[in-house]
Amino acid sequence: MSEELTLRPFFWRATRLFPETEVVSRTHDGIDRYTYTDFGDRVQRLAAALADLGVEPGDRVGTLGWNTHRHLEAYYAVPLSGAQLHTVNLLLQDDNVEYIINDAADDVLIVDRDAVAILDRLWDRIEGVREIVVMDDAVPETEADLPLSAFEELIADADPMASWPPLSEDDLAGMCYTSGTTGKPKGVEYTHKMLYAHAMMVMTPAALNIAEDDVVMPVVPMFHVNSWEFPYAVTMAGAKQVYPGPSPDPADLVDLIESEDVTLTAGVPTVWIDVLDYLDEHGGDLSSLERIVVGGSAAPREVMRRYEDEHDVAIEHAWGMTETMSIGSVSRPTSGTADGDREADLDKRAKQGVLSPGLEMRVVGDDGESIAWDGEAFGELLVRGPSVVGEYYNRPEANETDFVAADDGGARWLRTGDIVTVDEDGYIEVVDRAKDVIKSGGEWISSIELENALMAHDDIAEAVVIAAPHERWQERPLAFVVPKAGREIDVETVRTFLEAEFPRWWLPDDIRFREEIPKTATGKFDKKTLRESIEEPDLPYAPGEGGDE
Amino acid sequence: MSEELTLRPFFWRATRLFPETEVVSRTHDGIDRYTYTDFGDRVQRLAAALADLGVEPGDRVGTLGWNTHRHLEAYYAVPLSGAQLHTVNLLLQDDNVEYIINDAADDVLIVDRDAVAILDRLWDRIEGVREIVVMDDAVPETEADLPLSAFEELIADADPMASWPPLSEDDLAGMCYTSGTTGKPKGVEYTHKMLYAHAMMVMTPAALNIAEDDVVMPVVPMFHVNSWEFPYAVTMAGAKQVYPGPSPDPADLVDLIESEDVTLTAGVPTVWIDVLDYLDEHGGDLSSLERIVVGGSAAPREVMRRYEDEHDVAIEHAWGMTETMSIGSVSRPTSGTADGDREADLDKRAKQGVLSPGLEMRVVGDDGESIAWDGEAFGELLVRGPSVVGEYYNRPEANETDFVAADDGGARWLRTGDIVTVDEDGYIEVVDRAKDVIKSGGEWISSIELENALMAHDDIAEAVVIAAPHERWQERPLAFVVPKAGREIDVETVRTFLEAEFPRWWLPDDIRFREEIPKTATGKFDKKTLRESIEEPDLPYAPGEGGDE
């Protein structure tokens, strides 16, 4: 048999072939800088220290950490020891942290000093955790009797683990939870083989195109879907990596880009909007930077344009989810799709892009049939591939509802919950979430497209469109609008504004003005709460047409 | 479970996401040009036709073919049908073709019209083959009663196979034989998972860096280690591919580069030396071409220099073998290794390069201990990884001798038989084959370095250095030299010439002049025959030192 697909060669390649390449990390105590040789030594020490703490193959080690070199060390020491790395979002509400740690039954935690307070508050509700390693020089004072030890003390005391235990490619190596906007967060588990296949895919030119001479700064958190696989892909590439540490602000990011010559970075659009504002005010040199990969939501066209014009930086959208191990598609023009035309280029970059190598997709309408790839028709995106999970952890019901059997000899498809169009060039564009799309008379109306149009109005600050139940049409759009401070706007004005852009049957049946719109813990519009608030909707407008009737 | 690692998404991605991208093929009858859509249709028809011919999952389908679109179709139709593609070198001597087809027990053959004559001659010695598909419009006349059918007739008559049978990643998908310079050729088998992992690795920037906007022309034959994986990697990348067809000469290659805007090509150095000669005489436009990947042997420094100076084309060396599914390392400067210095750049490009992502290596001396990575010490290269075979087909003895157990929990190592140095930057350089290196008093002497030095002498046409048995030193170098026509040279002149470059104990104990040197079927010096010819070597020179004594 050939060697199995594990994380072993990731560690080997960086430490043996690129021993002098740097890992740079912003910590609570300033900039930490070392080489892959140092990294390798510390990973082997951490693995030995974890073994001393009783961590065995098959155990689950949770982390609550920022993007730092210590967290990177845990990304390797834990799975290379045969244990499973479970990254927990330290920004979640206590209840969710408690649920996730207990649901995963983590044995040991490795946590940032910022996260100790969370555990201090929660300790009597945490069930199986027997050790907490604080990623710091020393342990802080706590109220509860936490079983704390200091990362740096453990590392200093340990003898580097001489070789890894035998690893199978089907061994569990990683675990993440979905953000859980509906219901309890769901856990997904990644095997060594899945991490191997996904990281190699991420490296390819078709995906994130990571080369040895890149300098990569992952701003997307390491507690969020493995920081989009950068910690594995960049290490395998042997490239320099830069971790921006606890709660980086725009000044921190610009400083690191300047001082470390970052060529590639990635994160959600709001980060890069804030950086742009910072640059407007303070200036800054982004000349080393070539690309910013954004995901999670769409970057405004104007932001893309300004990065390109003012800083010669290309924004590339990417799409993915916890269930696809992050990156599943990346958007940049392919041959013949832009041909140097600026607007055509931006049109392509603004979409979620072309499915990455190794994945397959179907896009299906309500009837389960494939839709046309014409950039107009909507359908739910179904995907499968070696980096798409085949099941949830401990959630038999979701394992029935969230997957669709294939009729072509392949694995079953994951229902992504994303409603998308696909254009003639194969570019995916997310137009809604399946739970938010409005199903009116057999046709689908995108709540997001209506919202984006509303929020483009000069007098509107925020807008949400939800599906209101309707006797005849099944569902009809209902809009909630927050006028900008000091502005006035009425229903007719809004309707007239929308009529210019949408067919009449897309127009919301009612437009309700509010002073604010409820938000979820992660800052998204809380459509669930809004939907629950309209049990008996009063829909004064009778649309002329309601779909394909 | 996630989707298994099979060739399914390779086919899906090219045909669905890049339907208009071209595949261009030079055939016996001129240039054939079609899109990935056409390719997909024909692959599905070929699969159906093979099923009609009785090919079932698990069957072995041999090919004897040039680099053409039809061969590419077989590369997909056979493994996607669950059968195993066994590529046979149609330039081998009849005895070897017979041995290989019978050893593999091929059920069906798909052959170029050029190969029908071989089978006609051999037919009464071929054992299990029940069908022969000729990659042509019609079947030729033959002496023997061959079960021939015409590829194009089968394709035209078949209904495209609607979906592939269920495939497992451990299903056998490919098979190649080693070139067998010592003993009988040895078969190695590739699973779907191995092809998947290797093709993804080949795509990465660290290896061959294949992007969607490349135009790739594989000159390395499709009967030689899967054409270095281009047929799979380029298809997955969605790039245009160009196949140069039967026995391409330099004019054919230059024409295709010019007319198809080829950006990346690959083959053995002699091809590119011939192309350079052709360009000197006839001119030609290589402006689209960015890189030539060479392997098999080393390209002369002067050739590298001239491609760069005269055509702005970079030569990159690659290393690999049948047992590593071709590409295992690629050589180009990495950060800080050349820094724009021309000679340093060429120094790096002239080596076999940096091990590709996913592989691990050890380099060991006679005692099995790792040698220093200082660019000086020699050792045998051991490798392992998901694209390194773990065993030979049907060769239990080689399965014992050609692998070394690991002591670190990983798979056992393949003994490559290559004697290499590794420099401080991790670049491998092959200095000899294990069977040719001269083991003198515990130290190793590279026969290749001596030969290269000898052949650099103005009066020497060819030179071979072999190990002659020696009572005291175990082995000593013995040189055979062919003077250039009309030149004279004597032993003392040769010795003096070598003394300038090598330590005294490296100098051959005898230098014997010959009119010619025996060659193998593939044109290499036949050192085995030479070694057998010196049963009682007469070694007049007593070296001053014989190694580390």
Side-chain angles (χ1 to χ4, degrees), chain A residues 368-392:
Chain A
E369 295 298 312
S370 294
I371 60 148
W373 288 17
D374 58 7
E376 299 287 337
F378 295 178
E380 184 175 1
L381 177 64
L382 311 182
V383 295
R384 70 178 173 201
S387 52
V388 178
V389 299
E391 62 187 5
Y392 291 100

PDB file of all heavy atoms in Angstrom, chain A residues 368-392:
ATOM      1  N   GLY A 368     -36.583  19.269  -7.669  1.00  0.00           N
ATOM      2  CA  GLY A 368     -35.425  18.385  -7.644  1.00  0.00           C
ATOM      3  C   GLY A 368     -34.727  18.266  -8.986  1.00  0.00           C
ATOM      4  O   GLY A 368     -33.724  17.568  -9.110  1.00  0.00           O
ATOM      5  N   GLU A 369     -35.252  18.956 -10.017  1.00  0.00           N
ATOM      6  CA  GLU A 369     -34.626  18.907 -11.338  1.00  0.00           C
ATOM      7  C   GLU A 369     -33.573  19.999 -11.460  1.00  0.00           C
ATOM      8  O   GLU A 369     -33.696  21.076 -10.868  1.00  0.00           O
ATOM      9  CB  GLU A 369     -35.687  19.119 -12.434  1.00  0.00           C
ATOM     10  CG  GLU A 369     -36.727  18.004 -12.507  1.00  0.00           C
ATOM     11  CD  GLU A 369     -36.103  16.656 -12.849  1.00  0.00           C
ATOM     12  OE1 GLU A 369     -35.300  16.602 -13.800  1.00  0.00           O
ATOM     13  OE2 GLU A 369     -36.389  15.682 -12.117  1.00  0.00           O
ATOM     14  N   SER A 370     -32.547  19.734 -12.258  1.00  0.00           N
ATOM     15  CA  SER A 370     -31.483  20.716 -12.453  1.00  0.00           C
ATOM     16  C   SER A 370     -32.018  21.949 -13.178  1.00  0.00           C
ATOM     17  O   SER A 370     -32.797  21.837 -14.124  1.00  0.00           O
ATOM     18  CB  SER A 370     -30.352  20.104 -13.283  1.00  0.00           C
ATOM     19  OG  SER A 370     -29.731  19.075 -12.553  1.00  0.00           O
ATOM     20  N   ILE A 371     -31.580  23.108 -12.735  1.00  0.00           N
ATOM     21  CA  ILE A 371     -31.977  24.362 -13.384  1.00  0.00           C
ATOM     22  C   ILE A 371     -31.015  24.674 -14.538  1.00  0.00           C
ATOM     23  O   ILE A 371     -29.957  24.072 -14.662  1.00  0.00           O
ATOM     24  CB  ILE A 371     -31.944  25.539 -12.386  1.00  0.00           C
ATOM     25  CG1 ILE A 371     -30.514  25.697 -11.822  1.00  0.00           C
ATOM     26  CG2 ILE A 371     -32.949  25.339 -11.268  1.00  0.00           C
ATOM     27  CD1 ILE A 371     -30.151  27.105 -11.488  1.00  0.00           C
ATOM     28  N   ALA A 372     -31.409  25.627 -15.362  1.00  0.00           N
ATOM     29  CA  ALA A 372     -30.539  26.079 -16.461  1.00  0.00           C
ATOM     30  C   ALA A 372     -29.379  26.892 -15.900  1.00  0.00           C
ATOM     31  O   ALA A 372     -29.545  27.625 -14.932  1.00  0.00           O
ATOM     32  CB  ALA A 372     -31.350  26.933 -17.435  1.00  0.00           C
ATOM     33  N   TRP A 373     -28.223  26.745 -16.531  1.00  0.00           N
ATOM     34  CA  TRP A 373     -27.063  27.568 -16.160  1.00  0.00           C
ATOM     35  C   TRP A 373     -27.069  28.799 -17.055  1.00  0.00           C
ATOM     36  O   TRP A 373     -26.315  28.886 -18.031  1.00  0.00           O
ATOM     37  CB  TRP A 373     -25.766  26.773 -16.334  1.00  0.00           C
ATOM     38  CG  TRP A 373     -25.564  25.688 -15.313  1.00  0.00           C
ATOM     39  CD1 TRP A 373     -26.493  25.138 -14.483  1.00  0.00           C
ATOM     40  CD2 TRP A 373     -24.333  25.019 -15.022  1.00  0.00           C
ATOM     41  NE1 TRP A 373     -25.917  24.158 -13.701  1.00  0.00           N
ATOM     42  CE2 TRP A 373     -24.597  24.067 -14.003  1.00  0.00           C
ATOM     43  CE3 TRP A 373     -23.030  25.119 -15.507  1.00  0.00           C
ATOM     44  CZ2 TRP A 373     -23.614  23.222 -13.471  1.00  0.00           C
ATOM     45  CZ3 TRP A 373     -22.041  24.284 -14.990  1.00  0.00           C
ATOM     46  CH2 TRP A 373     -22.337  23.345 -13.971  1.00  0.00           C
ATOM     47  N   ASP A 374     -27.936  29.760 -16.705  1.00  0.00           N
ATOM     48  CA  ASP A 374     -28.111  30.943 -17.557  1.00  0.00           C
ATOM     49  C   ASP A 374     -27.931  32.242 -16.777  1.00  0.00           C
ATOM     50  O   ASP A 374     -28.186  33.318 -17.282  1.00  0.00           O
ATOM     51  CB  ASP A 374     -29.496  30.921 -18.218  1.00  0.00           C
ATOM     52  CG  ASP A 374     -30.627  30.862 -17.183  1.00  0.00           C
ATOM     53  OD1 ASP A 374     -30.333  30.969 -15.967  1.00  0.00           O
ATOM     54  OD2 ASP A 374     -31.788  30.720 -17.585  1.00  0.00           O
ATOM     55  N   GLY A 375     -27.489  32.128 -15.508  1.00  0.00           N
ATOM     56  CA  GLY A 375     -27.300  33.323 -14.696  1.00  0.00           C
ATOM     57  C   GLY A 375     -28.601  33.921 -14.180  1.00  0.00           C
ATOM     58  O   GLY A 375     -28.585  34.940 -13.493  1.00  0.00           O
ATOM     59  N   GLU A 376     -29.741  33.293 -14.505  1.00  0.00           N
ATOM     60  CA  GLU A 376     -31.045  33.831 -14.115  1.00  0.00           C
ATOM     61  C   GLU A 376     -31.804  32.874 -13.197  1.00  0.00           C
ATOM     62  O   GLU A 376     -32.289  33.269 -12.145  1.00  0.00           O
ATOM     63  CB  GLU A 376     -31.902  34.084 -15.376  1.00  0.00           C
ATOM     64  CG  GLU A 376     -31.326  35.094 -16.352  1.00  0.00           C
ATOM     65  CD  GLU A 376     -31.430  36.528 -15.838  1.00  0.00           C
ATOM     66  OE1 GLU A 376     -32.301  36.782 -14.979  1.00  0.00           O
ATOM     67  OE2 GLU A 376     -30.624  37.373 -16.277  1.00  0.00           O
ATOM     68  N   ALA A 377     -31.894  31.637 -13.623  1.00  0.00           N
ATOM     69  CA  ALA A 377     -32.679  30.662 -12.859  1.00  0.00           C
ATOM     70  C   ALA A 377     -32.037  30.417 -11.493  1.00  0.00           C
ATOM     71  O   ALA A 377     -30.823  30.408 -11.358  1.00  0.00           O
ATOM     72  CB  ALA A 377     -32.788  29.357 -13.644  1.00  0.00           C
ATOM     73  N   PHE A 378     -32.882  30.253 -10.474  1.00  0.00           N
ATOM     74  CA  PHE A 378     -32.417  29.958  -9.111  1.00  0.00           C
ATOM     75  C   PHE A 378     -32.558  28.475  -8.816  1.00  0.00           C
ATOM     76  O   PHE A 378     -33.509  27.840  -9.266  1.00  0.00           O
ATOM     77  CB  PHE A 378     -33.321  30.586  -8.046  1.00  0.00           C
ATOM     78  CG  PHE A 378     -33.385  32.041  -7.978  1.00  0.00           C
ATOM     79  CD1 PHE A 378     -34.234  32.624  -7.032  1.00  0.00           C
ATOM     80  CD2 PHE A 378     -32.650  32.864  -8.807  1.00  0.00           C
ATOM     81  CE1 PHE A 378     -34.343  33.986  -6.931  1.00  0.00           C
ATOM     82  CE2 PHE A 378     -32.760  34.235  -8.705  1.00  0.00           C
ATOM     83  CZ  PHE A 378     -33.613  34.799  -7.754  1.00  0.00           C
ATOM     84  N   GLY A 379     -31.727  28.004  -7.947  1.00  0.00           N
ATOM     85  CA  GLY A 379     -31.925  26.669  -7.402  1.00  0.00           C
ATOM     86  C   GLY A 379     -31.045  26.490  -6.194  1.00  0.00           C
ATOM     87  O   GLY A 379     -30.182  27.328  -5.910  1.00  0.00           O
ATOM     88  N   GLU A 380     -31.267  25.399  -5.464  1.00  0.00           N
ATOM     89  CA  GLU A 380     -30.400  25.130  -4.321  1.00  0.00           C
ATOM     90  C   GLU A 380     -29.148  24.418  -4.797  1.00  0.00           C
ATOM     91  O   GLU A 380     -29.198  23.490  -5.605  1.00  0.00           O
ATOM     92  CB  GLU A 380     -31.118  24.263  -3.268  1.00  0.00           C
ATOM     93  CG  GLU A 380     -30.220  24.070  -2.027  1.00  0.00           C
ATOM     94  CD  GLU A 380     -30.890  23.319  -0.890  1.00  0.00           C
ATOM     95  OE1 GLU A 380     -32.059  22.909  -1.047  1.00  0.00           O
ATOM     96  OE2 GLU A 380     -30.230  23.141   0.161  1.00  0.00           O
ATOM     97  N   LEU A 381     -28.032  24.868  -4.263  1.00  0.00           N
ATOM     98  CA  LEU A 381     -26.730  24.288  -4.612  1.00  0.00           C
ATOM     99  C   LEU A 381     -26.523  22.996  -3.831  1.00  0.00           C
ATOM    100  O   LEU A 381     -26.599  22.988  -2.604  1.00  0.00           O
ATOM    101  CB  LEU A 381     -25.630  25.294  -4.277  1.00  0.00           C
ATOM    102  CG  LEU A 381     -24.178  24.859  -4.500  1.00  0.00           C
ATOM    103  CD1 LEU A 381     -23.898  24.590  -5.967  1.00  0.00           C
ATOM    104  CD2 LEU A 381     -23.217  25.922  -3.953  1.00  0.00           C
ATOM    105  N   LEU A 382     -26.275  21.911  -4.569  1.00  0.00           N
ATOM    106  CA  LEU A 382     -25.900  20.630  -3.964  1.00  0.00           C
ATOM    107  C   LEU A 382     -24.443  20.352  -4.338  1.00  0.00           C
ATOM    108  O   LEU A 382     -24.070  20.555  -5.497  1.00  0.00           O
ATOM    109  CB  LEU A 382     -26.767  19.494  -4.511  1.00  0.00           C
ATOM    110  CG  LEU A 382     -28.281  19.680  -4.550  1.00  0.00           C
ATOM    111  CD1 LEU A 382     -28.958  18.404  -5.087  1.00  0.00           C
ATOM    112  CD2 LEU A 382     -28.827  20.014  -3.160  1.00  0.00           C
ATOM    113  N   VAL A 383     -23.657  19.932  -3.387  1.00  0.00           N
ATOM    114  CA  VAL A 383     -22.249  19.632  -3.696  1.00  0.00           C
ATOM    115  C   VAL A 383     -21.845  18.296  -3.086  1.00  0.00           C
ATOM    116  O   VAL A 383     -22.464  17.812  -2.140  1.00  0.00           O
ATOM    117  CB  VAL A 383     -21.275  20.731  -3.172  1.00  0.00           C
ATOM    118  CG1 VAL A 383     -21.494  22.048  -3.873  1.00  0.00           C
ATOM    119  CG2 VAL A 383     -21.382  20.891  -1.668  1.00  0.00           C
ATOM    120  N   ARG A 384     -20.799  17.731  -3.674  1.00  0.00           N
ATOM    121  CA  ARG A 384     -20.171  16.558  -3.065  1.00  0.00           C
ATOM    122  C   ARG A 384     -18.704  16.551  -3.474  1.00  0.00           C
ATOM    123  O   ARG A 384     -18.306  17.229  -4.433  1.00  0.00           O
ATOM    124  CB  ARG A 384     -20.868  15.263  -3.491  1.00  0.00           C
ATOM    125  CG  ARG A 384     -20.644  14.926  -4.935  1.00  0.00           C
ATOM    126  CD  ARG A 384     -21.303  13.607  -5.313  1.00  0.00           C
ATOM    127  NE  ARG A 384     -21.205  13.410  -6.751  1.00  0.00           N
ATOM    128  CZ  ARG A 384     -21.981  12.620  -7.456  1.00  0.00           C
ATOM    129  NH1 ARG A 384     -22.948  11.937  -6.876  1.00  0.00           N
ATOM    130  NH2 ARG A 384     -21.806  12.503  -8.758  1.00  0.00           N
ATOM    131  N   GLY A 385     -17.921  15.798  -2.755  1.00  0.00           N
ATOM    132  CA  GLY A 385     -16.498  15.723  -3.042  1.00  0.00           C
ATOM    133  C   GLY A 385     -15.755  15.248  -1.815  1.00  0.00           C
ATOM    134  O   GLY A 385     -16.335  15.126  -0.735  1.00  0.00           O
ATOM    135  N   PRO A 386     -14.452  15.001  -1.977  1.00  0.00           N
ATOM    136  CA  PRO A 386     -13.664  14.475  -0.862  1.00  0.00           C
ATOM    137  C   PRO A 386     -13.577  15.431   0.324  1.00  0.00           C
ATOM    138  O   PRO A 386     -13.236  15.003   1.422  1.00  0.00           O
ATOM    139  CB  PRO A 386     -12.278  14.263  -1.484  1.00  0.00           C
ATOM    140  CG  PRO A 386     -12.527  14.156  -2.946  1.00  0.00           C
ATOM    141  CD  PRO A 386     -13.688  15.043  -3.225  1.00  0.00           C
ATOM    142  N   SER A 387     -13.878  16.716   0.104  1.00  0.00           N
ATOM    143  CA  SER A 387     -13.821  17.674   1.210  1.00  0.00           C
ATOM    144  C   SER A 387     -15.214  18.112   1.647  1.00  0.00           C
ATOM    145  O   SER A 387     -15.353  19.106   2.358  1.00  0.00           O
ATOM    146  CB  SER A 387     -12.974  18.887   0.801  1.00  0.00           C
ATOM    147  OG  SER A 387     -13.416  19.414  -0.428  1.00  0.00           O
ATOM    148  N   VAL A 388     -16.222  17.384   1.232  1.00  0.00           N
ATOM    149  CA  VAL A 388     -17.594  17.664   1.672  1.00  0.00           C
ATOM    150  C   VAL A 388     -17.986  16.570   2.663  1.00  0.00           C
ATOM    151  O   VAL A 388     -17.878  15.382   2.345  1.00  0.00           O
ATOM    152  CB  VAL A 388     -18.564  17.663   0.471  1.00  0.00           C
ATOM    153  CG1 VAL A 388     -19.993  17.913   0.949  1.00  0.00           C
ATOM    154  CG2 VAL A 388     -18.144  18.704  -0.557  1.00  0.00           C
ATOM    155  N   VAL A 389     -18.431  16.992   3.850  1.00  0.00           N
ATOM    156  CA  VAL A 389     -18.740  15.972   4.859  1.00  0.00           C
ATOM    157  C   VAL A 389     -19.931  15.132   4.406  1.00  0.00           C
ATOM    158  O   VAL A 389     -20.824  15.614   3.715  1.00  0.00           O
ATOM    159  CB  VAL A 389     -19.030  16.586   6.250  1.00  0.00           C
ATOM    160  CG1 VAL A 389     -17.806  17.339   6.743  1.00  0.00           C
ATOM    161  CG2 VAL A 389     -20.256  17.475   6.226  1.00  0.00           C
ATOM    162  N   GLY A 390     -19.918  13.896   4.799  1.00  0.00           N
ATOM    163  CA  GLY A 390     -20.990  12.980   4.422  1.00  0.00           C
ATOM    164  C   GLY A 390     -22.049  12.847   5.496  1.00  0.00           C
ATOM    165  O   GLY A 390     -23.083  12.217   5.291  1.00  0.00           O
ATOM    166  N   GLU A 391     -21.763  13.466   6.655  1.00  0.00           N
ATOM    167  CA  GLU A 391     -22.725  13.372   7.755  1.00  0.00           C
ATOM    168  C   GLU A 391     -22.330  14.359   8.847  1.00  0.00           C
ATOM    169  O   GLU A 391     -21.203  14.848   8.886  1.00  0.00           O
ATOM    170  CB  GLU A 391     -22.729  11.956   8.335  1.00  0.00           C
ATOM    171  CG  GLU A 391     -21.384  11.564   8.923  1.00  0.00           C
ATOM    172  CD  GLU A 391     -21.305  10.113   9.345  1.00  0.00           C
ATOM    173  OE1 GLU A 391     -22.263   9.378   9.094  1.00  0.00           O
ATOM    174  OE2 GLU A 391     -20.269   9.743   9.927  1.00  0.00           O
ATOM    175  N   TYR A 392     -23.315  14.652   9.705  1.00  0.00           N
ATOM    176  CA  TYR A 392     -23.046  15.455  10.893  1.00  0.00           C
ATOM    177  C   TYR A 392     -22.727  14.533  12.051  1.00  0.00           C
ATOM    178  O   TYR A 392     -23.139  13.363  12.078  1.00  0.00           O
ATOM    179  CB  TYR A 392     -24.248  16.330  11.236  1.00  0.00           C
ATOM    180  CG  TYR A 392     -24.488  17.425  10.225  1.00  0.00           C
ATOM    181  CD1 TYR A 392     -25.459  17.290   9.232  1.00  0.00           C
ATOM    182  CD2 TYR A 392     -23.728  18.585  10.248  1.00  0.00           C
ATOM    183  CE1 TYR A 392     -25.668  18.286   8.298  1.00  0.00           C
ATOM    184  CE2 TYR A 392     -23.929  19.593   9.314  1.00  0.00           C
ATOM    185  CZ  TYR A 392     -24.912  19.438   8.341  1.00  0.00           C
ATOM    186  OH  TYR A 392     -25.108  20.423   7.418  1.00  0.00           O
TER     187      TYR A 392
END
